[in-house]
Amino acid sequence: MKEKELTKGKVTTIIANLVVVEAEGPVSQNEICYVDRAGVKLMAEVIKVYGKQAFIQVFEETRGVKVGSEVEFSGGMLEVTLGPGVLSRNYDGLQHDLDKMKGVFLQSGDYTAPLDYEKEWDFKPLASEGDKVSAGDWLGEVTENTMPHRIMVPFKFTGSYKVKSVVKEGKYKVNDTVAVLLDSKEREVPVTMMQKWPVKVPITNYTEKPRPFKLLETGIRTIDTLNPMVEGGTGFIPGPFGSGKTVLQHAISKEAEADIVVIAACGERANEVVEIFVEFPELEDPRTGRKLMERTTIIANTSNMPVAAREASVYTAMTIAEYYRAMGLKVLLLADSTSRWAQALREMSNRMEELPGPDAYPMDLPAIISNFYSRAGYVYLKNGETGSITFIGTVSPAGGNLKEPVTESTKKTARCFYALSQQRADSKRYPAIDPIDSYSKYIEYPELQDYLNNNISEDWVDKVMEIKNYLIRGKEAAEQINILGDDGVPVDYHITFWKSEVIDFVVLQQDAFDEIDKSCPMNRQKYMLDKVLDIYHTDFKFESFEEVNPYFKKIINEFKQMNFSGFESDEFKRHEKELEKIVKERKVEKEEAVEEKE
Amino acid sequence: METKAFQKVYTKITQITKATCSLNAEGVGYGELASVSGRLAQVVKIEGENITLQVFGGTEGVPTNAEVVFYGRPPTIKVGEELSGRFFNAFGEPIDGGPEVEGEEREIGGPSVNPVRRKQPSELIATGIAGIDLNNTLVTGQKIPFFADPDQPYNQVMAMVALRAKADKIILAGMGLTNDDYLYYKNVFDNAGALDRIISFVNTTEGPPVERLLVPDMALAAAEYFAVDKNQSVLVLLTDMTLYADALSIVSNRMDQIPSKDSMPGSLYSDLARIYEKAVQFPDGGSITIVAVTTLSGGDITHAIPDNTGYITEGQLFLRHDTDIGKVIVDPFRSLSRLKQLVIGKKTREDHPQVMNAAVRLNADAVNARTKLENGFDLTEYDERTLGFAKEYSRELLAIDVNIDVDSMLDTGWKLFAKYFNKPEVGIREEMIEKYWPKEEE
Ligand SMILES: Nc1ncnc2c1ncn2[C@@H]1O[C@H](COP(=O)(O)OP(=O)(O)OP(=O)(O)O)[C@@H](O)[C@H]1O
Ligand SMILES: [Mg+2]
């Protein structure tokens, strides 16, 4: 394959992981190269070329690299390897298989293969002789962890081809030829089950990318009900440290209704990734009963792993997501935290002494972020099937202040904003998504409104708006009470406030660690929302404001017990009855209300 | 730090700053050690022949014709059982009058643990302090700092935690430690008869600040020896990481890097993470747990140092002087142990999570009541009860001088719930209430 002469070079400058190389031949931007450190080859990427000097970022510690160390350019950009067997794997940011590495500690230069080349897969042909095909078309399929995994015409193939032959149903390895295509000049081109793709380039073999319109259930009430995410949507979760970004993302990764989940642990804690390693092989996908790990791929570049590979890690994850989307699957991509990726860019641009933008981040940060988010989306494939990538990233703003470049750039591009509030986290009102500041632009899409009203209930969107309105009213009432004092306001203010507290405790708050409460299916969300609205619409009678708080606490308590019980179980129903009894205690019957007015 | 005969000696320094100096030399490796007029230094930049060295002892008095010798290796430490009970400076040289340690030489600041080889932390570290064990339970393999004002007794609490923690080894990494505090630790460990399981690497305020940069790496390389080679549980105390970060900024500012927030280097997050992420539960039973101190200035946790730390560590602990009871308590609102979920209700009694949450919630109601009081509003009867509860909760559970086991903490919690509240107000799951709510006695 590698016939062309590869360029060599010698190291001239080393500043941490920025290395300058005097190249002896042509080099290209983003080309991968290897620095020889006493026999160990360290992977690096060209990030700037200046005359004969190639500036490279080394994906490893550069300890021991010397002036004059040999560098070998690879002729290609950073690529991922795509094929059956990507699922259930734990990769580093450059797609090296972490499980195959030797020893307890990571050793630089220990680059392991991303796929298992010996494993045999049961291949079934989908295309037949004579079919006209082009990049991304399905030629066959294998079953990967009970899921259909389409073998496609490699994305790198340009123009159209004719299928000369496809192998018969049988067992094949990823490197075996499974089809032979004829190009426009009737030349034979073999296709295997494996292909490579440069991570920085989007895979765009779809015909159309419509506005998303389908709800993506996450099982999290404050998202699904109030600020829904959609299939192919984008969102981000900014929040100060400890406010619950990671717990929320993990909850989404476990409960969301997706075929494939790709998790990029980008510059965060290793123990959090370990949690996934431990839990996912055990936990079941609530919808299919499959183990979560079967639908998941993890890209782990934790904070102590090489900084330069952090940037690569999110692209690696995105490219894997695009690969599965091209098979017509619903992919959920999560990255924690995109701020660490931005910081990695900042460290590099700093070392290169580039003119800094705000907070010393590179000038083109907004463009980099929006280009990345724009790779997500719902698509129609050429064969009429659909696929999607829903992307949710976390953002870790310095000092918890949302007026900083990463948050602001992301806000311009992501359509859902799940702002975690320090105050809610401090009072343990989890998930700490601020119900008033947060938004989902999608709920304004008529396409989604129709979808919700058709699939949940005809007046669903109205109800959601109503609930949002009550939350704002509750907040206003609370402010008045704080200013004027408990007895300085009419009792009604207390009632308004406590009714919004019912919404908060029953709909917004959800215990991510409770077996039952952790995930709430849509039909249950609807049931509970209706119940809460019933309470809201009920008139209650109180003699003084002092009665309001204890009464609503009782109501909240019964509701919470319901949230903790299996839906429609005996226990659930018992608490529901109890709730009705409590409501009766103070409910003003309609006639009664009329009488009183007279 | 002996010089070998065949080493080339350079004597032409071209540039000197407060923390670095530059010279022309050949065949030098990135990150390798050197000595400048006998002071330890490390290569931080190579541009062709021009080498920049970070001089740990500072450059005061370094002449342009100082002798510079390169060692051809990065900083190392000699490890072995003999480290136990010993006190060293930032370079790993004994400061207790004892002999040099003989042992295997290992690079400090070595590679990271492969995440797939880590084990999930699962062993509770009991400290007897309810503000920690009940509300913010620590787990082996965790990393957690005290966010403390300089006048708070964090060193005392750290020493207490260390001694009660039942670790096989306690490694003290002192950065900018005052001599008094250094002696305090030495005394406390000595009096507890624990010296044989203590190892200290100390840079006191008397030493040059840049020297501190070596301390955590020294301590953690020693910790890895005991945790990996000997499968021991090792507790590392880092005090004070704010002074460590200050030293980082001194060096990076000398290297013309564009500072980011609060004049800290843009790489602060990665620099701190490299240290804290050494906390790990190894598959073969050994573990490294890190308890650190990050001093705050004016209680500001949005400053770049505590802020970046909070994004790295698995929670944080706050101390507070509670004027109601006149004692130092572990602040129940701002403190958080993120790994507590792994042990509470699993390694401890089933009611632990619920009791913990309910108590904190009721305490929050007390805070609201107090605000009302301060604003001159009348309190409801419920408000009065929460205040009574909060005071007793502080005295019997949060105060750092409480030393009881977790079951007693939980029993105390239930006792206080029953004394001040009715069942729905506590809002705990019914099964738990039935099982643990104290039976009425006359
Ligand atoms: N939904 C939840 N239910 C219960 N506890 C939660 C929830 N979300 C967060 N917490 C608590 O808050 C802690 C911190 O949450 P998390 O690790 O998700 O924060 P984070 O925002 O990711 O912080 P960082 O930016 O430092 O990574 C958790 O360890 C847990 O104790
Ligand atoms: Mg997090």
Side-chain angles (χ1 to χ4, degrees), chain B residues 15 18 29 38 68 106 133 149 159 171 180 197-198 203 208 212 224 231 240 247 267 293-294 314 330 367 379 430 433:
Chain B
Q15 201 189 341
K18 210 171 180 179
V68 179
R106 293 205 181 159
D133 296 2
D149 290 329
I171 302 187
D180 294 0
R197 36 185 200 112
I198 311 269
N203 150 271
R212 283 174 210 154
E224 278 178 351
N231 296 334
D240 163 359
S267 59
V293 168
T294 300
E314 284 142 351
V330 179
V367 172
L379 295 186
E430 219 172 54
I433 297 256

Side-chain angles (χ1 to χ4, degrees), chain A residues 12 14 63 101 267 397 399 486, chain B residues 46 48 107 117 269 307 311 372:
Chain A
T12 61
I14 309 149
R63 240 186 214 188
M101 294 179 188
D486 281 339
Chain B
I46 304 179
E107 277 186 28
R117 300 283 180 269
Y269 176 83
D307 186 48
Y311 277 119
K372 271 197 210 170

Side-chain angles (χ1 to χ4, degrees), chain B residues 6 30 37 58 97 156 161 177 240 257 265 289 296 298 307-308 319 324 366 375 404 424 433:
Chain B
F6 54 84
Y30 189 78
S37 285
Q156 284 83 324
V161 168
L177 208 57
D240 163 359
Q257 293 205 5
T289 309
L296 307 176
D307 186 48
N308 279 284
L319 299 177
D324 277 358
N375 294 343
I404 52 178
I433 297 256

Side-chain angles (χ1 to χ4, degrees), chain B residues 299-340:
Chain B
D300 179 14
I301 62 157
T302 63
H303 182 282
I305 301 172
D307 186 48
N308 279 284
T309 304
Y311 277 119
I312 294 163
T313 53
E314 284 142 351
Q316 60 283 326
L317 299 167
F318 283 90
L319 299 177
R320 181 161 65 84
H321 189 82
D322 185 337
T323 43
D324 277 358
I325 60 164
K327 284 182 177 174
V328 174
I329 63 167
V330 179
D331 190 314
F333 298 117
R334 303 163 77 202
S335 306
L336 173 70
S337 159
R338 309 235 188 145
L339 299 191
K340 64 176 182 236

Side-chain angles (χ1 to χ4, degrees), chain A residues 325-346:
Chain A
R325 175 174 66 184
M327 294 176 204
L329 297 174
K330 232 192 288 182
V331 185
L332 175 66
L333 174 64
L334 301 167
D336 186 13
S337 145
T338 59
S339 294
R340 306 300 163 219
W341 154 43
Q343 285 177 342
L345 294 174
R346 174 169 73 183

Side-chain angles (χ1 to χ4, degrees), chain A residues 12-17 61-67 90 97-107 239-243 245-247 266-279 300 302-307 310 340 343 346-347 349-351 353-356 359-360 395-400 422 426-428 430 481-487 505 511 513-516 545-546 549-550 553-554 557-558 560-561 564-565 571 574-575, chain B residues 27-32 42 44-49 51 74-75 107-121 141-143 147 217 224 228 255-261 265-271 273-274 277-283 301-302 306-316 332-336 338-342 354 357 360-361 364-365 372 375 377-383 423-425 427-431:
Chain A
T12 61
T13 295
I14 309 149
I15 309 164
N17 69 335
E61 283 238 22
T62 50
R63 240 186 214 188
V65 175
K66 295 181 175 180
V67 167
N90 306 316
D97 188 340
L98 288 165
D99 290 285
K100 286 190 198 133
M101 294 179 188
K102 295 205 178 66
V104 172
F105 292 91
L106 296 167
Q107 301 300 336
F241 65 76
S243 55
K245 297 181 290 296
T246 305
V247 172
C266 172
E268 292 286 312
R269 304 173 186 82
N271 276 338
E272 292 174 346
V273 191
V274 174
E275 200 175 306
I276 303 179
F277 293 154
V278 172
E279 288 188 349
T302 58
S303 58
N304 53 339
M305 288 163 80
V307 178
R310 244 190 241 165
R340 306 300 163 219
Q343 285 177 342
R346 174 169 73 183
E347 281 185 34
S349 113
N350 221 264
R351 284 190 196 112
E353 296 173 7
E354 289 177 347
L355 199 64
D359 286 6
V395 170
S396 319
Q422 182 77 64
D426 285 348
S427 50
K428 315 267 179 230
Y430 292 120
I481 297 169
N482 271 337
I483 297 168
L484 301 170
D486 281 339
D487 46 9
F505 276 91
D511 188 342
F513 303 110
D514 182 85
E515 259 330 294
I516 291 170
F545 75 85
E546 295 199 313
N549 164 330
K553 281 219 167 118
K554 278 199 297 189
N557 184 44
E558 290 308 325
K560 277 179 71 174
Q561 304 293 350
F564 287 138
S565 319
E571 214 187 332
R574 191 157 53 75
H575 290 296
Chain B
V28 176
Y30 189 78
E32 99 176 39
Q42 188 170 16
V44 289
K45 192 171 181 176
I46 304 179
E47 287 179 285
E49 298 231 303
I51 311 288
E107 277 186 28
I108 67 168
S112 319
V113 174
N114 183 341
V116 300
R117 300 283 180 269
R118 284 174 177 255
K119 262 195 69 183
Q120 189 167 40
Q142 183 168 14
K143 45 195 177 289
F147 280 172
D217 286 348
E224 278 178 351
V228 178
M255 302 245 319
D256 309 320
Q257 293 205 5
I258 309 157
S260 63
K261 200 166 169 271
S267 59
L268 182 64
Y269 176 83
S270 305
D271 295 336
R274 207 177 46 79
E277 281 291 332
K278 288 278 180 196
V280 53
Q281 176 74 56
F282 286 104
I301 62 157
T302 63
D307 186 48
N308 279 284
T309 304
Y311 277 119
I312 294 163
T313 53
E314 284 142 351
Q316 60 283 326
F333 298 117
R334 303 163 77 202
S335 306
L336 173 70
R338 309 235 188 145
L339 299 191
K340 64 176 182 236
Q341 270 91 258
L342 298 173
Q354 301 249 338
N357 285 330
V360 172
R361 203 172 343 101
D365 287 347
K372 271 197 210 170
N375 294 343
F377 296 129
D378 292 341
L379 295 186
T380 62
E381 178 267 344
Y382 176 78
D383 290 336
K423 292 172 186 174
E425 282 170 338
I428 289 182
R429 254 169 186 272
E430 219 172 54
E431 313 111 70

Side-chain angles (χ1 to χ4, degrees), chain A residues 89 148 163 240 455 510:
Chain A
R89 255 178 238 280
V163 177
N455 286 279
Q510 195 170 352

